[in-house]
Amino acid sequence: MMERSEILTAMVELKLYGMKAAYDEIITTAVKRQHEPQHVVGDLLTAEITEKPARSIRYQITIAKLPLAKEINDFTFDDTPINETLVRDLTSGDFLAHQRNLGCGLIAASM
């Protein structure tokens, strides 16, 4: 029988990071609820299937080298062609409460 550390090491070697991350929680739940072995394996596979797309997206974002996201208050509008008033109005969402059409504001701002 493999020890926990050996199982986790094998998961890393096989690049089963989703399974590794969920392993302790799945095993703890399985013991408490007396799950059948196929239920445990199914939960581990589901964890891996869920993790793979998320890991792929994180990797793609990393290699894209996108700049870090900024909060609107951290953005410097000086010396840019951006209409600060319009952008702040859009970020507040007040136009929704007042049922205003954004198109008119955007066109007027760009003229």
Side-chain angles (χ1 to χ4, degrees), residues 39-84:
H39 189 134
V40 176
V41 172
D43 287 349
L44 288 168
L45 290 171
T46 300
E48 185 62 28
I49 289 167
T50 303
E51 166 67 13
K52 280 196 186 284
R55 190 170 59 244
S56 174
I57 290 168
R58 285 191 306 269
Y59 172 74
Q60 291 171 16
I61 288 172
T62 300
I63 62 171
K65 298 182 181 174
L66 298 172
L68 295 175
K70 286 186 175 184
E71 295 292 325
I72 191 69
N73 292 330
D74 297 334
F75 190 82
T76 304
F77 291 92
D78 300 337
D79 300 324
T80 69
I82 298 171
N83 182 330
E84 181 177 358

Side-chain angles (χ1 to χ4, degrees), residues 98-109:
H98 296 101
Q99 299 178 354
R100 289 195 327 255
N101 184 343
L102 284 179
C104 296
L106 291 173
I107 294 169

Side-chain angles (χ1 to χ4, degrees), residues 11-56:
M11 288 176 175
V12 170
E13 288 177 19
L14 294 169
K15 298 181 180 178
L16 299 172
Y17 303 112
M19 282 187 186
K20 181 181 180 283
Y23 180 80
D24 287 332
E25 181 181 343
I26 289 171
I27 295 300
T28 301
T29 301
V31 169
K32 285 180 184 176
R33 297 184 181 166
Q34 300 177 354
H35 288 166
E36 295 292 321
Q38 60 269 29
H39 189 134
V40 176
V41 172
D43 287 349
L44 288 168
L45 290 171
T46 300
E48 185 62 28
I49 289 167
T50 303
E51 166 67 13
K52 280 196 186 284
R55 190 170 59 244
S56 174

